[in-house]
Amino acid sequence: MGNTIAEKIIKAHLVSGEMVAGQEIGLKIDQTLTQDATGTMAYLEFESMGIPRVKTEKSVAYIDHNTLQSGFENADDHRYIQTVAAKHGIYFSRPGNGICHQVHYERFGKPGKTLIGSDSHTPTGGGIGMLAIGAGGMDVAVAMGGGAYYIPMPKMLKVELTGELQPGVSAKDIILDVLRQLTVKGGVGYIVEYAGEGVKKLSVPQRCTITNMGAELGATTSIFPSDEQTRAFLAAEGREEDWVELSSDADAVYDKTITVDMTALRPLAACPHSPDNIKSIQELAGGKIDQVCIGSCTNSSVADMVKVAAILKGKKIADNVSLSISPGSRQVFSMLAECGALTDMIDAGARVLECACGPCIGMGFSPNSAGVSLRTFNRNFLGRSGTKDGQVYLVSPETAAASALAGVFADPSELGEIAVPYELPEKFRINDSGVIEPLDEEAAKTAEVVKGPNIKPFPETRPLEDKISAEVILKVEDNITTDHIMPAGAKTLPYRSNIPYLSKFCFEVVDPTFAERAKAAGSGIIVGGQNYGQGSSREHAALVPLALGIRAVIAKSFARIHAANLVNAGILPLTFANPDDYNLVTQGGTITIDNIHRDLAEGHFTAQVNGHEVELVTTLADRQKEILLAGGLLKYTSGK
Ligand code: MIC
Ligand code: SF4
């Protein structure tokens, strides 16, 4: 039996376990990335391991999420990351150099290698044939120290691409169609592999749009073959020597296959407040809009930006629309300047922002009350834009640009040839002035790591108790995201290294009284529905509940990264054996789970819930059970 592309890379990096779906496997990690919002924690965790130099082939620390520096907190965090990177063998990508995923595939990623990153969109690297996976900061810290990265062996899902994109239809519409077919839960437990005749016609930036937003499927990662398109892209980046060919075997077996007919595809939008709430632009056409934001790690390549500029050229955006454009990297930005596309954007009335995450993570540019915002981004979760009743639609750059001109939802396929994909140049403008190399081993020995006063110690974890009897502080519905649990945005991002302060905002958009009530109770349980913790990789969504005394989270099902983060933080994640038992739980009631140590081995627990006996289960791997008993990953790792 042949192998899929992902199976080939896994095989070459397997350090423990068997490649049997659902069983835990350990992978050797070649590269890591962090960004500033998760990086401070990850490096504090790495430092606590006492390892002088990273053991990966390449580790890169990016500053891209919070570049506002609206106070000393942020600037201090950046200085900390820069100094800790220099000392421990990590490349540092300065603020303004670009969004981690965009810069990583341009300058560092290599086909066939493994990459984990403390950001859920790390799978973007799958567009150049990497096995690139989003992880919590602690897992990244362990990988930097040479430890393996553990995941349940995923199943394989094939997306067969047929036909050819028509003018005005783009890679974004392909992934929106996949989301329509599979939903935000449809990728859980799978690696999504793209195959078929259509693949050859997609350039690397187009592929990266698709793999990036595969995160919204809940998939472990997504991957494309490494072929002539990949070689051409790497050659244009001056790194042809990094190319290797990668393809699946003809007799590779997939657990599931879906098809996207690119010829039949029309421009689509993900409507509020979920990336799988898909409608066609035709259905929405003519609807009023207030704001358009172009950029983010999904759609900020030079190919996307040049198309946008071509649509805007010589025209003026509608009076009712505010348009922002953030190029994905310094490389993209300078190429736009060089070819004149930047002038076309400026002249059309765009506000050109820094190469950073910006509006995507609520760093300014929040829409007006109930405002309709069209964004080329990947997430439209409730409140993420910074405006709770903001109506965010996720669209392609072509749809965004056409709508910014029209002042209403507009279908770019009516623009004809202007919206035809841009041919990548043979050479990109390469300028690595935004990347600082680490110190050599000798200099690193005496180098100082600078920590500002905003960096507070890591919250205390505790070994798993034998009995948990605690109040249900919060009961929530299906598809709760990490943006609900630990909101980001300009108000809170400066405090990503200050858990006590951050904890005030926990679940703010769902129930502003949560933090106070949890603190007052001293210990507590959260109960959730399906796909609890989808979205971001931020381990803060586990560390903050930990600091607020949460001992266990019981849900119908969990998103992969969040479940791993809970375990790493020493919080017990359990699922209902019978999902209907969720209905027996009342917020404010007490749940008691006895004999936890005895029952952990089998993974079956009996809980007392409002006078009923309820069966709870866990499918955690033995290693994860040991982590819980030790009191979290850091204690487990240091005790070894
Ligand atoms: C996001 O898109 O939600 C983020 C902000 O990039 C997060 C990381 C974070 O919360 O810092 C992610 O995707 O993991
Ligand atoms: Fe940044 Fe948005 Fe991408 Fe997250 S999804 S890495 S916030 S651009």
Side-chain angles (χ1 to χ4, degrees):
M1 192 177 79
N3 285 132
T4 67
I5 303 166
E7 284 167 349
K8 289 184 186 182
I9 304 180
I10 292 173
K11 223 180 208 171
H13 291 83
L14 195 69
V15 293
S16 72
E18 273 179 57
M19 291 171 58
V20 175
Q23 290 198 14
E24 191 178 72
I25 52 168
L27 294 175
K28 177 185 172 294
I29 297 302
D30 302 320
Q31 298 192 346
T32 63
L33 70 80
T34 58
Q35 37 90 339
D36 48 317
T38 54
T40 38
M41 275 296 159
Y43 293 114
L44 288 170
E45 289 152 2
F46 177 74
E47 280 191 295
S48 79
M49 289 162 41
I51 295 170
R53 210 168 173 83
V54 291
K55 297 193 175 144
T56 44
E57 291 173 16
K58 184 136 290 167
S59 285
V60 191
Y62 294 90
I63 306 289
D64 54 359
H65 277 59
N66 189 0
T67 52
L68 275 191
Q69 306 186 326
S70 58
F72 69 92
E73 293 88 353
N74 216 203
D76 281 4
D77 281 0
H78 297 174
R79 189 57 83 203
Y80 165 63
I81 294 177
Q82 180 170 355
T83 52
V84 84
K87 188 172 176 70
H88 295 287
I90 299 152
Y91 286 73
F92 179 72
S93 173
R94 313 166 84 126
N97 194 48
I99 306 174
C100 53
H101 310 303
Q102 179 69 30
V103 178
H104 204 85
Y105 82 76
E106 287 173 356
R107 306 303 305 140
F108 299 107
K110 293 184 184 180
K113 297 284 181 186
T114 52
L115 162 72
I116 67 166
S118 60
D119 191 281
S120 62
H121 290 102
T122 304
T124 312
I128 55 165
M130 299 192 89
L131 189 80
I133 306 180
M138 262 186 244
D139 286 318
V140 175
V142 168
M144 287 191 287
Y149 175 57
Y150 296 89
I151 46 166
M153 176 68 198
K155 291 185 279 185
M156 301 292 143
L157 192 156
K158 177 158 80 169
V159 180
E160 185 84 30
L161 297 178
T162 62
E164 195 169 357
L165 290 174
Q166 299 302 302
V169 186
S170 81
K172 180 63 154 265
D173 301 306
I174 298 177
I175 186 64
L176 290 176
D177 190 59
V178 174
L179 274 152
R180 182 185 63 75
Q181 295 193 46
L182 294 174
T183 81
V184 291
K185 300 194 290 284
V188 174
Y190 287 99
I191 290 181
V192 182
E193 216 166 280
Y194 288 83
E197 273 306 295
V199 163
K200 290 199 194 87
K201 295 169 198 141
L202 296 177
S203 67
V204 162
Q206 289 175 305
R207 294 174 181 188
C208 287
T209 291
I210 295 170
T211 50
N212 170 282
M213 225 178 149
E216 276 52 68
L217 298 165
T220 304
T221 188
S222 304
I223 192 163
F224 272 83
S226 172
D227 57 8
E228 284 307 317
Q229 289 274 7
T230 326
R231 187 213 286 262
F233 177 83
L234 289 172
E237 286 289 348
R239 324 196 269 123
E240 194 173 352
E241 68 283 3
D242 289 344
W243 182 75
V244 291
E245 190 171 9
L246 276 175
S247 59
S248 58
D249 293 328
D251 55 349
V253 178
Y254 293 87
D255 300 279
K256 189 171 175 168
T257 300
I258 64 165
T259 303
V260 177
D261 174 3
M262 303 201 303
T263 314
L265 209 56
R266 287 290 158 266
L268 300 171
C271 305
H273 297 285
S274 183
D276 61 359
N277 186 12
I278 308 294
K279 284 197 180 142
S280 72
I281 296 297
Q282 273 304 323
E283 284 172 83
L284 299 164
K288 189 173 162 311
I289 65 172
D290 298 288
Q291 185 191 55
V292 175
C293 302
I294 299 175
S296 95
C297 57
T298 323
N299 281 114
S300 60
S301 66
V302 72
D304 284 332
M305 295 289 159
V306 168
K307 259 183 309 181
V308 165
I311 296 172
L312 296 179
K313 191 179 170 76
K315 309 217 170 66
K316 187 173 156 289
I317 59 169
D319 291 352
N320 58 306
V321 172
S322 171
L323 169 67
S324 79
I325 300 181
S326 345
S329 67
R330 186 180 296 268
Q331 179 178 92
V332 171
F333 209 176
S334 69
M335 287 177 73
L336 294 179
E338 190 181 45
C339 74
L342 190 59
T343 314
D344 296 332
M345 292 170 167
I346 296 169
D347 288 352
R351 294 169 63 182
V352 181
L353 309 183
E354 198 178 16
C355 310
C357 299
C360 179
I361 190 59
M363 297 305 295
F365 242 83
S366 301
N368 51 299
S369 291
V372 176
S373 180
L374 268 61
R375 301 178 162 212
T376 66
F377 306 168
N378 46 36
R379 291 187 170 148
N380 57 350
F381 300 146
L382 181 74
R384 180 176 165 99
S385 64
T387 302
K388 191 170 170 189
D389 59 2
Q391 304 293 307
V392 176
Y393 291 76
L394 306 174
V395 298
S396 70
E398 291 89 334
T399 300
S403 303
L405 294 176
V408 290
F409 278 95
D411 185 341
S413 54
E414 288 164 10
L415 296 174
E417 291 302 303
I418 309 177
V420 165
Y422 156 84
E423 290 284 325
L424 290 182
E426 270 177 31
K427 276 269 163 288
F428 292 122
R429 258 180 86 87
I430 296 161
N431 174 348
D432 287 329
S433 60
V435 177
I436 300 178
E437 291 196 10
L439 296 170
D440 63 38
E441 278 180 51
E442 226 9 72
K445 281 186 191 146
T446 51
E448 199 198 336
V449 173
V450 185
K451 280 196 190 103
N454 185 43
I455 296 184
K456 296 283 183 269
F458 195 76
E460 192 50 39
T461 55
R462 57 180 89 72
L464 184 66
E465 299 132 306
D466 193 40
K467 173 178 178 172
I468 296 176
S469 184
E471 180 187 332
V472 178
I473 311 282
L474 192 68
K475 181 181 176 188
V476 285
E477 305 291 312
D478 289 352
N479 292 324
I480 285 293
T481 72
T482 49
D483 278 301
H484 294 106
I485 307 171
M486 193 54 252
K491 231 172 33 183
T492 56
L493 272 196
Y495 301 97
R496 281 290 184 91
S497 47
N498 184 343
I499 299 292
Y501 183 85
L502 262 194
S503 60
K504 294 184 201 160
F505 302 95
C506 192
F507 277 112
E508 202 193 20
V509 283
V510 177
D511 178 351
T513 68
F514 170 80
E516 275 308 308
R517 293 189 297 104
K519 239 199 212 143
S523 71
I525 292 176
I526 295 169
V527 172
Q530 299 279 6
N531 202 21
Y532 180 85
Q534 68 160 325
S536 156
S537 68
R538 61 189 75 147
E539 59 188 342
H540 303 77
L543 296 177
V544 167
L546 168 75
L548 289 170
I550 297 302
R551 300 282 205 272
V553 180
I554 306 172
K556 291 185 189 170
S557 68
F558 286 93
R560 179 187 65 85
I561 307 177
H562 185 61
N565 285 341
L566 287 172
V567 172
N568 290 351
I571 297 178
L572 182 63
L574 295 173
T575 48
F576 293 101
N578 171 5
D580 290 342
D581 286 347
Y582 166 89
N583 301 323
L584 298 172
V585 178
T586 44
Q587 185 168 311
T590 299
I591 295 183
T592 304
I593 318 167
D594 275 313
N595 298 317
I596 294 178
H597 290 178
R598 184 196 69 194
D599 294 344
L600 190 62
E602 287 300 313
H604 280 272
F605 307 83
T606 310
Q608 305 300 323
V609 180
N610 288 337
H612 300 270
E613 280 207 345
V614 166
E615 225 192 296
L616 301 174
V617 290
T618 167
T619 51
L620 294 178
D622 290 345
R623 187 190 58 90
Q624 291 182 299
K625 293 174 183 169
E626 285 171 28
I627 292 174
L628 284 169
L629 290 169
L633 182 60
L634 288 184
K635 287 194 174 146
Y636 169 79
T637 311
S638 60
K640 283 198 113 185

